[in-house]
Amino acid sequence: MKKILILFLLFIAIASGAYAQQQPKMPTAEEIAKKNLDELEKKLKLNPTQKTVISTYVLSQAKDEQGLMKMQQSGATREMLMDRYYKIQEDASRNIKAVLKPEQQKEYDAWVLEKRSGPEKKKKKGKKNNEDDEVVDGVEALKLQ
């Protein structure tokens, strides 16, 4: 009986170790879209109609971007992927801005810049002698990566 119990515990230990080594699951397009839509709703104070229309654009954008990730894994060139990524971003932005009021558009532009550049603005490296670094943001910051 002790042998069976020890074998059972050993099996559980091995199985849990194998489970812990699995890679983290990538979020689905729906999860990404929901997160982005929630951020936009909070930041822009969207009305129900705007939220409904924008949700379709955000979901479409998330699905297109996941398609690009799959293309990257299959060996597509970086230049081709970046061109498509920028086109997806621009199309989504244009469509979303068409639904927003002018004051919301300004907030949206700020949100996009924040998302693209991260918490801090990207800086070019390589400056010497404590010279001021050139701050690069927007699409140009993405091209530097």
Side-chain angles (χ1 to χ4, degrees), residues 45-130:
K45 299 171 184 65
L46 300 174
N47 64 39
T49 305
Q50 287 175 321
K51 184 178 176 182
T52 303
V53 173
I54 290 174
S55 68
T56 60
Y57 296 135
V58 172
L59 180 60
S60 174
Q61 176 186 8
K63 286 181 179 180
D64 290 345
E65 288 175 1
Q66 281 201 332
L68 289 179
M69 291 174 67
K70 289 178 184 177
M71 288 174 64
Q72 179 184 21
Q73 291 172 350
S74 68
T77 65
R78 179 183 168 106
E79 292 80 22
M80 182 184 73
L81 293 173
M82 292 306 286
D83 288 342
R84 287 189 182 183
Y85 176 78
Y86 292 134
K87 183 175 179 352
I88 291 167
Q89 292 290 321
E90 289 172 10
D91 289 346
S93 262
R94 187 176 355 93
N95 290 334
I96 290 171
K97 286 173 95 174
V99 177
L100 299 175
K101 298 174 185 170
E103 58 274 2
Q104 289 175 318
Q105 289 178 358
K106 291 176 186 174
E107 287 292 320
Y108 176 74
D109 289 337
W111 180 78
V112 168
L113 279 176
E114 179 184 319
K115 293 293 276 186
R116 288 183 179 169
S117 63
E120 297 178 14
K121 292 185 178 185
K122 306 278 184 198
K123 295 183 178 183
K124 285 186 178 179
K125 294 184 180 180
K127 296 281 183 174
K128 295 181 182 177
N129 301 331
N130 294 328

